[in-house]
Amino acid sequence: MNVTMVGTGYVGLVTGACLADAGNSVFCLDLNPHKIAELNAGRIPIFEPGLEPIVRRNRDAGRLQFSTDPAASVAHAELQMLAVGTPPGEDGSADLQHVLAAARTIGRYMQGPKTIVTKSTVPVGTADKVRSVVREELEKRKESLPFAVVSNPEFLKEGAAVADFMRPDRVIVGSDDPRAIDLLRQLYAPFQRNHERIMVMSVRSAELTKYAANAMLATRISFMNEVANLAEAIGADIEEVRRGIGSDPRIGYHFLYPGVGYGGSCFPKDVKALQKSAAQAGRPLRVLAAVDQVNESQKRVLGDKIRARFGVNLSGRRFALWGLAFKPNTDDMREAPSRTLIDELVGAGASVRAYDPAARDEAKRLYADESRVEIVNSALAALEGADALVVVTEWQEFRSPDFPSIKARLKTPAIFDGRNLYEPATVAAHGLEYYPIGRKV
């Protein structure tokens, strides 16, 4: 099947590459000429495990092409998939300018039937707006061509996006158009061989499903962070509590890990956008307002612990940071808790030496003008001359460190652990102070 993918970010590039790997002919459009040049040269602009060989394999086989030519992208396929950004506006609502611009382009150049599929995370009612702008463009041309608009939201986790696409939990198809539904069934057939994963529903239900899923996961995170802070205040251990409640099958263990808050390109944006949509509908989601507030507060917990130990004035202090990306297996630092912490430490007069296995280049770009932030190439290098170690992201290589080496390099034998990676007794046995989240030490 011929497929056009508009947008080559996380969603567009992963989706396009995986569809090509199943034998489809995929045309990826992006209006950023530098990004397209990089992709055509075999360089992947994002860090996503397993993606690069899939892109190269299918580009070399001729099943995956990258271009800045919108007319060619529209001509390539009946199936037009939109995976462009929907950044938050100043009021928290999703900015649909890129989605609607892509829809206008399709309406401007289409010469036959089209099925327009929104992969981007968009508010309820976006399909109606897409339909309207396509119709406007056709009317300008005095054309009357059939088209359908489908909501097919993505559920890809950064760091595991390829696996999530190849083995999906579910494929949501929001449409009442029989031909469009049949096209999507054909497209996803290779990815659901052992049992049916497609769920067909109304467009508006599909649009809301994506927001509701992310909001639910964000709620679990903020709830556990609140309980962790309470556990710390009253002498309980949040890890024992987590196991106790996670064993209930109605709750389960997923997304019950306390830490320093969520970040990335999805949860913060989607929680705010859903709040805005709810307010506009006259049904404010008060729970989500609390989820958002708790998360912003939780990003400051490590800073509070550091100031409690070393004082409010951190001038002359240096802190080693392990982890900069908002989660492991990605280089994405958007809304990352590390950025909040770095701002706090630098604002209090401290300097930072930070290491991340994947986000070094992004961090160097973000802090190019900040002389007190140094990005280094190894975990041990970050420790040199540091007053304490701060663990912010739970990368695998941080899970079983050499505690004697850590102690030997630190001026103060102290670890501030924002992800509860270590057992308090183990850390104490090596003569290190330990400051986790919600644990008894």
Side-chain angles (χ1 to χ4, degrees):
M1 184 184 297
N2 287 358
V3 180
T4 288
M5 183 64 58
V6 183
T8 58
Y10 273 100
V11 175
L13 188 55
V14 171
T15 303
C18 291
L19 288 174
D21 210 43
N24 298 290
S25 173
V26 181
F27 187 113
C28 290
L29 173 74
D30 200 295
L31 300 184
N32 183 331
H34 174 71
K35 182 184 286 189
I36 292 300
E38 291 286 288
L39 287 166
N40 280 324
R43 290 185 287 272
I44 308 300
I46 58 175
F47 178 86
E48 186 61 45
L51 178 61
E52 187 170 338
I54 296 175
V55 171
R56 289 184 174 177
R57 178 168 66 244
N58 287 281
R59 185 204 59 187
D60 294 345
R63 291 189 297 268
L64 184 62
Q65 57 181 306
F66 303 99
S67 175
T68 58
D69 186 344
S73 75
V74 176
H76 179 76
E78 176 180 348
L79 199 59
Q80 302 276 314
M81 308 190 87
L82 309 186
V84 296
T86 54
E90 291 184 3
D91 61 354
S93 61
D95 185 344
L96 296 177
Q97 62 172 316
H98 302 302
V99 172
L100 299 182
R104 286 189 184 282
T105 298
I106 295 169
R108 188 175 301 128
Y109 291 109
M110 62 188 285
Q111 298 297 326
K114 298 294 177 187
T115 297
I116 303 168
V117 180
T118 55
K119 297 293 295 180
S120 305
T121 302
V122 295
V124 175
T126 298
D128 295 335
K129 295 178 180 179
V130 168
R131 194 176 292 109
S132 178
V133 299
V134 173
R135 192 174 291 118
E136 286 176 13
E137 291 298 322
L138 289 174
E139 288 173 354
K140 288 178 185 177
R141 297 165 48 202
K142 295 182 170 52
E143 293 276 7
S144 178
L145 297 171
F147 69 94
V149 180
V150 179
S151 175
N152 174 220
E154 54 84 17
F155 296 95
L156 307 178
K157 299 185 294 292
E158 288 187 36
V162 171
D164 285 346
F165 191 92
M166 295 295 196
R167 296 181 293 277
D169 297 317
R170 75 287 207 199
V171 177
I172 302 295
V173 175
S175 177
D176 59 2
D177 184 286
R179 173 164 174 75
I181 294 169
D182 183 60
L183 277 175
L184 270 293
R185 287 192 183 279
Q186 292 178 47
L187 184 70
Y188 286 111
F191 308 101
Q192 50 168 356
R193 296 292 295 268
N194 60 347
H195 67 88
E196 176 73 23
R197 291 182 172 89
I198 289 181
M199 301 180 185
V200 178
M201 59 185 69
S202 71
V203 173
R204 286 181 170 246
S205 294
E207 290 171 334
L208 181 56
T209 295
K210 169 62 177 181
Y211 273 122
N214 278 356
M216 172 63 80
L217 296 175
T219 299
R220 286 173 69 100
I221 293 170
S222 281
F223 175 78
M224 283 304 291
N225 283 334
E226 286 273 76
V227 176
N229 295 337
L230 173 62
E232 191 167 312
I234 63 177
D237 189 321
I238 191 60
E239 285 301 302
E240 295 173 350
V241 174
R242 181 185 65 80
R243 292 194 297 270
I245 64 176
S247 61
D248 186 329
R250 297 170 299 175
I251 298 172
Y253 291 103
H254 293 296
F255 283 82
L256 287 188
Y257 291 90
V260 287
Y262 56 77
S265 63
C266 295
F267 286 7
K269 171 177 69 73
D270 293 351
V271 166
K272 289 181 173 65
L274 184 54
Q275 285 180 264
K276 184 65 177 179
S277 294
Q280 290 173 341
R283 297 289 183 182
L285 297 177
R286 292 162 291 182
V287 169
L288 283 192
V291 168
D292 193 19
Q293 292 166 7
V294 168
N295 191 60
E296 291 306 308
S297 176
Q298 196 69 17
K299 290 181 179 182
R300 302 184 182 279
V301 165
L302 281 180
D304 292 341
K305 290 176 179 289
I306 291 169
R307 284 187 295 271
R309 173 60 179 81
F310 290 101
V312 175
N313 185 353
L314 299 176
S315 296
R317 300 282 188 183
R318 173 183 288 171
F319 294 93
L321 261 66
W322 283 3
L324 294 166
F326 84 95
K327 61 182 286 189
N329 298 317
T330 182
D331 60 353
D332 194 344
M333 289 183 63
R334 286 173 288 184
E335 303 276 352
S338 64
R339 297 178 65 173
T340 300
L341 178 60
I342 289 172
D343 289 347
E344 284 192 274
L345 294 176
V346 171
S351 62
V352 171
R353 299 191 84 191
Y355 166 71
D356 188 282
R360 291 191 297 277
D361 290 344
E362 176 65 5
K364 288 177 180 178
R365 183 187 69 81
L366 288 171
Y367 295 105
D369 298 326
E370 180 49 73
S371 61
R372 285 183 288 170
V373 177
E374 181 184 0
I375 309 302
V376 298
N377 294 325
S378 73
L380 289 181
L383 298 172
E384 298 296 341
D387 286 276
L389 167 63
V390 189
V391 181
V392 188
T393 312
E394 65 275 32
W395 282 92
Q396 186 68 26
E397 69 177 85
F398 302 154
R399 292 181 180 271
S400 297
D402 184 341
F403 289 113
S405 292
I406 293 174
K407 184 180 179 182
R409 286 169 169 79
L410 294 177
K411 293 179 181 178
T412 304
I415 298 176
F416 295 84
D417 185 359
R419 299 297 179 180
N420 288 354
L421 294 187
Y422 315 125
E423 281 300 318
T426 301
V427 180
H430 287 93
L432 288 152
E433 299 175 27
Y434 188 50
Y435 303 91
I437 305 292
R439 301 211 64 184
K440 290 173 66 177
V441 294

